[in-house]
Amino acid sequence: MTPHPETWLTPRPEGLWCAPGGFHIDPTRPVGRALITHGHGDHARSGHDAALATPGTIAIMRARYGQDAAGSLQPQGYGAPIRVGEVDVTFVPAGHVLGSAQVRLAYRGSVAVVSGDYKRRPDPTCAPFEPVPCDVFVTEATFGLPVFRHPPDGEEVGKLLHSLEVFPERSHVVGVYALGKCQRVIALLRRAGYDRPIYLHGALQELCDLYVRLGVDLGDLRPATVADKAALKGQVVLAPPSAIADRWARRLEDPVVALASGWMRVRQRAKQRGVELPLVISDHADWDELTRTLADVDAPEVWVTHGREEALIRAATLQGRRARALSLVGFDEEEGE
Amino acid sequence: MKPFARLLDALIFTPARNGKLALIEDYLRHAPDPDRGYAIAALTGDLSFARAKPALIRGLVEERVDAELFRWSYDYVGDLAETVALIWPEADSRADAPHLSAVVERLHRAGRSEVPALLAGWLDALDSTGRWALLKLITGGLRVGVSAGLVRTALAGFGKVEAAAIEEVWHGLAPPYRDLFAWLEGRAPMPAVTAGTGFRPMMLAHPLDEADLATLDPRAFRAEWKWDGARVQLAASGGAIRLYSRTGDDIGPAFPDLVAALAEAGPLHAVADGELLVARTDRDDLAPAPFAELQQRLNRKSVTAKMASERPAFLRLYDLLFEGAEDLRGLAFGVRRTRLESWIARDPRPRIDLSPLVAFDTWEELAALRAKAREDGIEGLMLKRADSPYVAGRPRGPWFKWKRGPLTVDAVLMYAQRGHGKRSSFYSDYTFGCWRPRTDGEGRELVPVGKAYFGFTDAELVELDRWVRNHTVNRFGPVREVEAGLVLEVACDSVQRSTRHKSGVAMRFPRVSRIRWDKPVEEADEVATLERAIPA
Ligand SMILES: [Zn+2]
Ligand SMILES: [Zn+2]
């Protein structure tokens, strides 16, 4: 008889544990062997003895953590199964950020897929999500409420371009998360025909360089030197979300403060962040994508984690699936958004 | 609708006054007539049509979205219009989005029963920003941080005329202001100034910071009692009589007894500012009944004869804006006051009286009078500079409201509920109770006496939230029942009898004034203490 995934895949304080494989997935504390879905800080921690991840994720971990990333880092490309302990492991594109993967786990004829973070809409900077049939689908639920419906990316980038027209004298400081969002916003601007230089806060430089080395074209990027305010007038300046409200951004002349995040969908939240131009651009699936993915994957059972579980459990139940919350600790809802 | 929705959305996020002015002027340059006129009226609160109640909107959305999912979403977002705008299912193919003018004109003609279908059709045709703007419009609360004064400044900027010129013609005009735009675009002469029964935006007061009294000269101010009723503007011209609420809604139809009594005494031609109150029926003079009596009437759109005779309404006036066709608003308050007194003396009407001035020489003397005032209907004092003209909005300096000190009780925290919006991750809504003897004679029990959402700092909220989570004994959805272990000092404006609460009492405007981490729950107040505070 094939064992139900709940007998071999279990939540532990340090993360999701697969006993027959002898590994954790995205553990929040250093462990012996870890599978890493993608490079965001709340998924890829440093200090594991051994880590298995896609080549893209490994490059990101090396860039972020240097030599301390892990005792050993083993790259494994998309689509090719590898046996770990008694479990066959396959990385499948998740469409979240460069290198991001879902993990397909097969053990004695029973299959579970751990989505990690994912989205369904096209992203010029990473491979698109692929639905994989399974017995249990473990899904994220960052935007697990029906109010979260991200508008088309083009419309949101259009808002930024329109604002540049209306306020040609003002610097437009856009808060973006350093990994993924930053490069995606640049790529979307380029797609929309914006070919002027884009200025980067120092904290964003390294990962942009990495994306370029890995073959993602980002156009003319320049360091944003706040000292030279005049050069930044009417330009797009990208900065980490933490920098847009602090002294760094205030040293610019009368900046328009924008923030690219799925949370910007709710006005109160945008206002709370002091944002003048909210851009609803997210690297996570919105509500429609989440519920569509449950239907596409069509697993009889769904475990929900990493966000607002209750509503997505309700939606899965209304689709006729068994669903429950998987309580994992240590994930940060702002991380990666 | 789309340009209007974009404008509202941008206004919400633009903090700077100049930015807001630029956005409005830009809109006026691009939007056609009559859309832009209706947009202006929406911003200044001068539109009137059949409004939709929150319950109607909830009903529409729950036909389309799972009720549970809607409830969680509303809990998170905290604002009904926004929740519905975001959650409304996107139609596969959209009908053409309606123009703002089409929406306003259709609603103006619509009967109440037509509103749901109209609204649903428009929601299907709009995108989420459009839906949000429509819902804000139809529920009558735009709240985009734009005053009527700012809108008029933008109009002045748009037409390159003086702001005072806009002020002058404004009150004679009605939406969609075609003559105004014709003038501002140089296509027609300046519109004539007229009086009438239109709503004149009210002048509002700032709360008094007692520390500021030292800087204010008592001789420059006049004091009046602040009545615990509803602020209204009486606008009468010939046979027509309107009673406008602060937001410019005509609430006259809900008070036919009052309107009829005013009309019976002959033609009335004036605009006056005053308080709508319910008179006590056990007295021959006009003496205000507790606010709860008025609340009974404000809650309904029409009134039964029984209701009107048990709770007769009257007006207590404190300002005169127009006498006949003469606009008094530019005159000093002291002068307007004299005109009001002589006007009432000359043409007395049943159900109208004069709000008296409170004489005083020093702030100390006035403070003592305020502290003593505990009778029905008095909420505190109003201070008005004798030399202040009547201007729309809430100018800083000329008018202050000085509410009387609150009542406080020590109550025990019983239930906590998750808040809305930015507080949705905290247990921030607290139900508290007081002691009363058990009916079986065995000791005492706690019964809820009220609910408070504010009064604490963000840091205190974090502590309260932690306390709630650590002392939960039961959960009901978003509500947690906690053990009887924490005393809250709760302040309120007054206490009333209530049939809705098990305790038989209800507090008006309760708020947490202190968290008594130190106080044993046994020492919290009894319900009897609250009952003693109910006005006889
Ligand atoms: Zn994540
Ligand atoms: Zn992530």
Side-chain angles (χ1 to χ4, degrees):
Chain A
M1 211 185 86
T2 52
H4 189 279
E6 70 190 3
T7 62
W8 52 272
L9 194 58
T10 46
R12 288 197 174 178
E14 67 277 10
L16 194 58
W17 164 246
C18 178
F23 56 79
H24 290 83
I25 298 173
D26 291 348
T28 55
R29 291 182 219 153
V31 297
R33 173 170 282 279
L35 268 54
I36 309 294
T37 59
H38 67 284
H40 278 145
D42 56 337
H43 295 257
R45 313 255 172 176
S46 61
H48 306 306
D49 292 342
L52 181 72
T54 64
T57 298
I58 285 179
I60 290 162
M61 289 177 73
R62 284 228 168 88
R64 293 196 134 178
Y65 302 125
Q67 291 315 307
D68 304 329
S72 74
L73 282 167
Q74 186 183 343
Q76 177 67 23
Y78 293 129
I82 178 173
R83 180 151 270 241
V84 184
E86 297 173 60
V87 177
D88 289 317
V89 173
T90 316
F91 287 133
V92 181
H96 176 54
V97 297
L98 190 148
S100 67
Q102 314 172 64
V103 187
R104 178 187 187 273
L105 305 166
Y107 172 60
R108 294 196 187 157
S110 145
V111 177
V113 171
V114 179
S115 75
D117 294 342
Y118 65 95
K119 70 171 174 291
R120 301 299 302 273
R121 59 192 69 205
D123 178 343
T125 69
C126 65
F129 179 97
E130 292 170 20
V132 177
C134 53
D135 301 304
V136 167
F137 182 56
V138 183
T139 179
E140 65 135 318
T142 305
F143 291 113
L145 275 178
V147 287
F148 291 111
R149 203 187 282 134
H150 313 322
D153 305 332
E155 256 176 43
E156 298 301 294
V157 168
K159 272 164 63 179
L160 176 57
L161 295 175
H162 179 72
S163 180
L164 283 161
E165 266 170 43
V166 177
F167 302 108
E169 291 294 293
R170 301 172 72 188
S171 308
H172 284 61
V173 184
V174 185
V176 289
Y177 193 65
L179 169 59
K181 189 69 59 68
C182 170
Q183 298 77 21
R184 174 144 168 255
V185 167
I186 297 171
L188 289 170
L189 278 165
R190 296 305 185 210
R191 262 194 188 191
Y194 185 80
D195 54 9
R196 282 149 61 184
I198 292 174
Y199 293 83
L200 298 180
H201 181 280
L204 306 178
Q205 191 68 53
E206 190 174 11
L207 284 166
C208 285
D209 292 345
L210 177 71
Y211 266 59
V212 171
R213 276 208 305 284
L214 295 176
V216 180
D217 182 16
L218 299 177
D220 186 357
L221 303 181
R222 301 189 189 172
T225 320
V226 178
D228 189 9
K229 278 190 222 179
L232 299 179
K233 272 191 173 179
Q235 304 296 331
V236 174
V237 181
L238 302 186
S242 58
I244 60 169
D246 74 10
R247 224 179 303 143
W248 186 85
R250 284 206 305 268
R251 295 212 312 259
L252 294 169
E253 233 166 61
D254 188 23
V256 174
V257 175
L259 181 59
S261 161
W263 300 114
M264 296 298 101
R265 175 89 165 152
V266 177
R267 286 180 178 78
Q268 179 62 36
R269 249 184 119 139
K271 276 187 74 95
Q272 219 178 312
R273 300 287 297 256
V275 172
E276 193 168 339
L277 181 64
L279 302 173
V280 189
I281 300 177
S282 174
D283 283 328
H284 289 270
D286 68 7
W287 174 259
D288 292 345
E289 292 171 61
L290 288 170
T291 53
R292 173 161 70 93
T293 301
L294 298 189
D296 287 350
V297 170
D298 200 21
E301 184 165 338
V302 176
W303 300 349
V304 185
T305 181
H306 200 341
R308 299 183 170 271
E309 291 95 358
E310 55 194 5
L312 194 57
I313 289 171
R314 170 107 184 134
T317 312
L318 293 174
Q319 285 183 6
R321 304 174 202 287
R322 265 196 312 256
R324 68 176 171 92
L326 185 66
S327 313
L328 293 173
V329 292
F331 290 100
D332 176 1
E333 69 168 22
E334 296 285 343
E335 187 89 346
E337 261 311 298
Chain B
M1 198 75 194
K2 198 159 183 162
F4 175 64
R6 285 277 138 78
L7 171 67
L8 290 189
D9 199 35
L11 285 172
I12 267 213
F13 289 109
T14 305
R17 183 180 159 86
N18 282 341
K20 288 183 199 280
L21 288 172
L23 289 166
I24 298 172
E25 288 177 37
D26 185 65
Y27 172 81
L28 295 177
R29 270 192 293 276
H30 292 104
D33 283 323
D35 276 4
R36 57 183 175 177
Y38 288 123
I40 290 298
L43 289 170
T44 55
D46 285 331
L47 278 184
S48 70
F49 46 67
R51 306 266 180 219
K53 286 259 169 59
L56 184 158
I57 293 163
R58 282 192 80 133
L60 285 179
V61 75
E62 285 180 0
E63 284 170 21
R64 288 159 179 81
V65 179
D66 178 63
E68 194 80 342
L69 291 175
F70 173 75
R71 199 168 55 79
W72 283 327
S73 297
Y74 183 28
D75 232 33
Y76 176 82
V77 175
D79 178 278
L80 182 68
E82 181 157 17
T83 311
V84 173
L86 294 178
I87 209 171
W88 192 266
E90 296 282 348
D92 289 333
S93 63
R94 281 201 195 124
D96 285 344
H99 274 261
L100 174 63
S101 50
V103 169
V104 172
E105 285 163 7
R106 187 68 190 85
L107 279 176
H108 196 77
R109 282 182 281 127
R112 200 158 290 278
S113 61
E114 290 176 85
V115 173
L118 282 172
L119 186 54
W122 289 327
L123 289 171
D124 282 337
L126 291 163
D127 67 2
S128 75
T129 310
R131 293 192 291 261
W132 169 76
L134 173 66
L135 290 166
K136 287 283 171 193
L137 186 70
I138 205 168
T139 51
L142 292 181
R143 288 200 209 96
V144 291
V146 172
S147 66
L150 187 108
V151 173
R152 290 195 288 269
T153 307
L155 284 165
F158 165 73
K160 310 233 167 359
V161 300
E162 290 296 315
I166 302 277
E167 295 284 347
E168 208 181 319
V169 297
W170 183 255
H171 299 289
L173 302 174
Y177 309 116
R178 284 180 195 271
D179 345 348
L180 175 71
F181 285 110
W183 166 51
L184 293 177
E185 289 176 339
R187 295 182 277 114
M190 187 168 166
V193 182
T194 55
T197 55
F199 173 63
R200 278 81 182 176
M202 288 186 186
M203 178 162 175
L204 304 170
H206 275 274
L208 180 73
D209 183 346
E210 289 182 29
D212 287 345
L213 279 180
T215 67
L216 301 177
D217 177 3
R219 283 165 306 183
F221 283 86
R222 302 287 173 269
E224 302 162 354
W225 294 118
K226 179 169 172 23
W227 302 105
D228 193 8
R231 175 97 180 266
V232 288
Q233 184 177 93
L234 166 69
S237 179
I241 294 179
R242 306 258 186 278
L243 285 176
Y244 291 110
S245 71
R246 243 179 57 175
T247 50
D249 295 316
D250 181 11
I251 57 172
F255 296 88
D257 50 328
L258 174 57
V259 172
L262 294 175
E264 261 165 34
L268 190 61
H269 199 55
V271 178
D273 192 358
E275 202 81 6
L276 177 64
L277 294 158
V278 159
R280 293 174 60 143
T281 46
D282 58 349
R283 297 254 300 257
D284 288 333
D285 58 344
L286 294 176
F291 181 79
E293 302 294 317
L294 175 64
Q295 185 70 52
Q296 293 282 327
R297 292 200 56 174
L298 289 172
N299 284 343
R300 42 200 94 203
K301 284 270 175 254
S302 60
V303 64
T304 60
K306 180 163 177 279
M307 177 70 93
S309 72
E310 283 175 356
R311 298 184 177 84
F314 73 102
L315 285 178
R316 181 157 282 177
L317 299 183
Y318 33 69
D319 211 333
L320 191 60
L321 280 50
F322 281 79
E323 187 177 352
E326 185 188 356
D327 187 349
L328 309 183
R329 290 171 300 167
L331 302 177
F333 173 70
V335 178
R336 295 200 308 276
R337 174 82 206 181
T338 314
R339 296 279 298 260
L340 173 69
E341 287 168 11
S342 53
W343 176 68
I344 289 184
R346 220 172 38 240
D347 184 11
R349 307 238 163 190
R351 308 247 201 154
I352 280 190
D353 73 358
L354 179 70
S355 178
L357 289 179
V358 180
F360 70 102
D361 289 316
T362 64
W363 294 130
E364 291 71 26
E365 195 184 334
L366 193 60
L369 288 168
R370 169 175 161 277
K372 269 189 284 177
R374 274 271 172 244
E375 66 243 54
D376 275 347
I378 290 182
E379 225 189 340
L381 286 165
M382 293 296 301
L383 303 180
K384 298 178 177 173
R385 276 194 75 96
D387 61 2
S388 56
Y390 192 98
V391 292
R394 202 187 297 272
R396 187 164 285 284
W399 285 15
F400 294 99
K401 52 186 171 193
W402 191 13
K403 293 207 178 183
R404 75 179 175 202
L407 303 163
T408 62
V409 290
D410 286 336
V412 180
L413 180 60
M414 297 179 72
Y415 303 94
Q417 182 170 358
R418 276 183 199 268
H420 287 303
K422 67 173 181 174
R423 284 173 159 189
S424 62
S425 53
F426 291 105
Y427 286 91
S428 62
D429 300 0
Y430 306 112
T431 301
F432 43 82
C434 286
W435 297 105
R436 76 170 175 201
R438 289 175 65 106
T439 37
D440 58 12
E442 300 279 349
R444 302 188 302 170
E445 64 178 353
L446 282 172
V447 281
V449 295
K451 201 169 176 186
Y453 319 89
F454 57 93
F456 34 83
T457 64
D458 286 357
E460 286 174 328
L461 173 59
V462 171
E463 287 183 305
L464 283 167
D465 177 73
R466 187 179 314 129
W467 193 92
V468 167
R469 288 172 197 271
N470 291 336
H471 296 83
T472 300
V473 295
N474 231 328
R475 294 177 188 220
F476 320 90
V479 179
R480 291 184 179 217
E481 180 181 357
V482 297
E483 71 187 52
L486 181 61
V487 176
L488 301 177
E489 184 188 89
V490 180
C492 67
D493 287 359
S494 63
V495 179
Q496 295 157 1
R497 257 180 225 298
S498 161
T499 48
R500 279 193 318 140
H501 291 83
K502 203 170 136 192
S503 59
V505 296
M507 299 166 87
R508 185 141 186 261
F509 297 138
R511 61 261 179 194
V512 175
S513 56
R514 267 196 302 168
I515 308 168
R516 298 296 305 265
W517 301 105
D518 56 323
K519 190 156 192 165
V521 289
E522 294 72 26
E523 291 174 21
D525 282 314
E526 303 219 317
V527 175
T529 313
L530 281 171
E531 284 167 350
R532 280 196 292 278
I534 298 175

